Amino acid sequence: MEKIKVGITVENNVEIPKYMTEGAAGIDVSANIEKEIELKPLERYLVPTGIKLEIPEGFEDFHKGIANAAPFTKPEHPNKNDDISLMYFTSGTTGEPKMVAHDFTYPLGHIVTGSFWHNLHENSLHLTIADTGWGKAVWGKLYGQWIAGANIFVYDHEKFTPADILTKIQDYHVTSLCAPPTIFRFLIHEDLTKYDLSSLQYCTIAGEALNPAVFDTFKKLTGISLMEGFGQTETTLTVATMPWMQPKPGSMGLPNPQYDVDLIDHDGRSVEAGEQGQIVIRTDKGKPLGLFKEYYRDANRTREAWHDNIYYTGDVAWKDEDGYLWFVGRADDVIKSSGYRIGPFEVESALMTHPAVIECAITGVPDEIRGQVVKATIVLSKDYKNRAGEELVKELQNHVKKVTAPYKYPRVIEFVDELPKTISGKIRRVEIRKNDEK
């Protein structure tokens, strides 16, 4: 197979990051030395500022284009900061997706995302596992990371394979990884000793709440703490565990100072430590950077979510004495059974501590006596698939009773091959509920 040759010239004593000089092609590059680099076909290298590339035939010289560009002429009707710059669709975990419009200040809202939560710098090689069709790709591949000066590793795959991702981290010396909990749930079931993950320095997690069992297992296997973050399509990073904080497994962390975050009850009262409340963002002091402009062409739904200077996230949490926030679930997902309010996440976390469970979803199903009862939809690990049956159901129910309050145990358990998910990897509990109604 013919090899591709790329000539480079290193100028101004530029220091090339280690992962560029020791990549899969076995490159050794030193400052002020011209060399030809032999690359395997289809391999590409990110080149930091200061390195000149020979311009291939058919390509334009970017720097020459800038130098020869005509003077900038301000258009007659220029965009304003509060004009719409981009729009996302929400993931649709609880209903039909909404179209979320952000203005031109939105990228600045991600400075905290890249520079602080992801803990990136100019020598970082960051991988966010996210399809480019949803907001997490912008959270992890564009604004915050570029502003931090980090290098971005992009790997598009048709189907997620844990071994494939681990191989890419190993071969390309990825230093920073961000992915939803679903990804980490599958990674910890791989034999990580088969891979050299020594380049990996920092891991962040968002998209859904992180089960403590996943945090503990990943930390045991890699020595790396998963730093959780919380936000929505309508916001940037809203709550997070930052590098200088001590992570609490299962907690989202502390509010991002960029936002005026509060927890309130149904009467609008700010709740005390230990009480559950809806996560809201107060805007009486002004609209914070990163908060959306509107639901496009839907004034009614915009007013439902954002009125009286409060944006209602629809997510329920509680805070501890240190101010850390702990996710309970979507307001629509909270189960009301025999007078108790049961958050799906706590029951899911209890189930995840059993070796039979790879992932699960907790929903409420109607019950004539209790109003609702807890149902668990479970994907079993390969070692337990042949045990699916009444005996394992009893074992899992008793396990939950021991780990959390007995009244929270799932009275209904269904074993499935996979859970319904959005394109962003979030579990669609609304689909499970609809199937149960049929």
Side-chain angles (χ1 to χ4, degrees):
M1 187 177 290
E2 184 181 354
K3 293 181 177 179
I4 301 171
K5 292 186 176 180
V6 179
I8 71 168
T9 302
V10 182
E11 296 184 338
N12 302 328
N13 294 313
V14 174
E15 179 181 350
I16 300 178
K18 182 179 180 182
Y19 55 79
M20 291 184 59
T21 64
E22 298 179 2
I27 304 168
D28 182 13
V29 183
S30 303
N32 292 323
I33 297 178
E34 292 186 37
K35 283 192 176 182
E36 284 189 333
I37 303 176
E38 292 188 350
L39 300 180
K40 297 176 183 177
L42 304 182
E43 286 188 352
R44 298 173 182 171
Y45 279 78
L46 298 175
V47 183
T49 305
I51 296 180
K52 264 189 181 178
L53 282 176
E54 291 181 1
I55 308 301
E57 184 178 351
F59 283 75
E60 298 289 339
D61 187 327
F62 174 79
H63 297 288
K64 186 181 292 184
I66 293 294
N68 297 333
F72 173 73
T73 302
K74 186 176 180 179
E76 185 177 351
H77 301 288
N79 288 321
K80 303 189 296 292
N81 279 349
D82 60 356
D83 285 340
I84 294 174
S85 66
L86 59 80
M87 288 189 287
Y88 299 128
F89 283 97
T90 59
S91 55
T93 54
T94 57
E96 291 300 316
K98 300 181 286 288
M99 193 152 49
V100 179
H102 281 280
D103 64 25
F104 279 92
T105 66
Y106 173 73
L108 301 178
H110 278 300
I111 292 175
V112 173
T113 307
S115 295
F116 298 106
W117 181 48
H118 284 165
N119 199 23
L120 298 175
H121 49 78
E122 61 183 8
N123 289 325
S124 299
L125 182 60
H126 178 75
L127 167 61
T128 283
I129 300 177
D131 288 336
T132 50
W134 64 296
K136 189 67 175 68
V138 176
W139 274 54
K141 299 181 183 182
L142 291 175
Y143 299 129
Q145 296 69 35
W146 287 4
I147 293 172
N151 301 279
I152 309 303
F153 185 87
V154 178
Y155 175 56
D156 292 328
H157 50 277
E158 292 186 5
K159 182 179 180 180
F160 165 68
T161 305
D164 191 24
I165 295 296
L166 292 166
T167 299
K168 292 295 183 291
I169 294 171
Q170 169 188 271
D171 290 351
Y172 291 92
H173 305 284
V174 171
T175 66
S176 173
L177 172 66
C178 185
T182 300
I183 300 294
F184 286 100
R185 281 197 286 266
F186 283 94
L187 290 181
I188 61 177
H189 284 275
E190 293 291 308
D191 182 0
L192 299 187
T193 62
K194 293 180 179 179
Y195 306 91
D196 179 5
L197 304 179
S198 58
S199 65
L200 197 59
Q201 301 168 1
Y202 210 76
C203 291
T204 45
I205 188 166
E208 281 197 311
L210 170 63
N211 305 106
V214 177
F215 178 100
D216 293 336
T217 304
F218 191 79
K219 176 69 180 276
K220 181 180 178 181
L221 293 173
T222 66
I224 298 174
S225 296
L226 296 174
M227 308 298 268
E228 189 170 353
F230 164 84
Q232 295 186 312
T233 310
E234 294 88 343
T235 71
T236 55
L237 185 70
T238 310
V239 181
T241 305
M242 298 295 186
W244 54 85
M245 291 169 52
Q246 180 64 39
K248 295 186 178 184
S251 168
M252 297 181 288
L254 295 170
N256 175 359
Q258 186 173 313
Y259 294 95
D260 186 2
V261 176
D262 197 5
L263 299 181
I264 63 174
D265 63 15
H266 293 292
D267 299 322
R269 176 185 65 88
S270 296
V271 302
E272 302 295 330
E275 291 185 274
Q276 292 183 9
Q278 185 174 170
I279 303 171
V280 300
I281 297 172
R282 298 189 180 276
T283 59
D284 53 305
K285 298 175 184 176
K287 174 183 172 296
L289 289 173
L291 185 60
F292 79 130
K293 177 182 176 71
E294 64 188 7
Y295 294 122
Y296 188 58
R297 295 181 177 177
D298 199 337
N300 289 335
R301 293 179 87 173
T302 301
R303 279 192 297 270
E304 287 175 7
W306 189 359
H307 58 85
D308 299 314
N309 285 322
I310 296 177
Y311 166 63
Y312 295 81
T313 67
D315 288 309
V316 177
W318 63 277
K319 64 180 178 180
D320 62 21
E321 295 291 345
D322 297 322
Y324 281 63
L325 270 59
W326 301 74
F327 187 77
V328 174
R330 291 289 297 172
D332 296 339
D333 289 337
V334 174
I335 301 162
K336 303 174 184 68
S337 180
S338 299
Y340 293 106
R341 290 172 58 84
I342 302 170
F345 179 64
E346 185 177 357
V347 186
E348 289 169 359
S349 295
L351 279 167
M352 286 295 297
T353 61
H354 193 286
V357 181
I358 285 187
E359 58 179 353
C360 61
I362 295 298
T363 53
V365 292
D367 182 83
E368 291 184 2
I369 298 174
R370 297 176 177 83
Q372 286 182 306
V373 294
V374 176
K375 177 192 175 183
T377 306
I378 297 173
V379 177
L380 292 173
S381 64
K382 58 184 179 182
D383 294 335
Y384 281 80
K385 283 187 179 294
N386 61 353
R387 286 191 53 196
E390 195 60 34
E391 183 180 342
L392 184 57
V393 167
K394 291 292 184 185
E395 182 178 329
L396 291 169
Q397 289 175 329
N398 290 331
H399 178 77
V400 173
K401 290 178 183 179
K402 293 176 182 177
V403 174
T404 186
Y407 67 85
K408 297 180 180 180
Y409 84 93
R411 295 177 181 272
V412 180
I413 291 181
E414 179 183 6
F415 299 119
V416 296
D417 291 329
E418 60 181 3
L419 297 175
K421 292 185 179 124
T422 67
I423 190 174
S424 60
K426 294 182 181 180
I427 297 169
R428 294 200 78 238
R429 293 173 182 82
V430 64
E431 188 172 326
I432 295 174
R433 286 195 294 266
K434 284 181 179 179
N435 289 337
D436 288 339
E437 291 172 359
K438 292 179 181 178

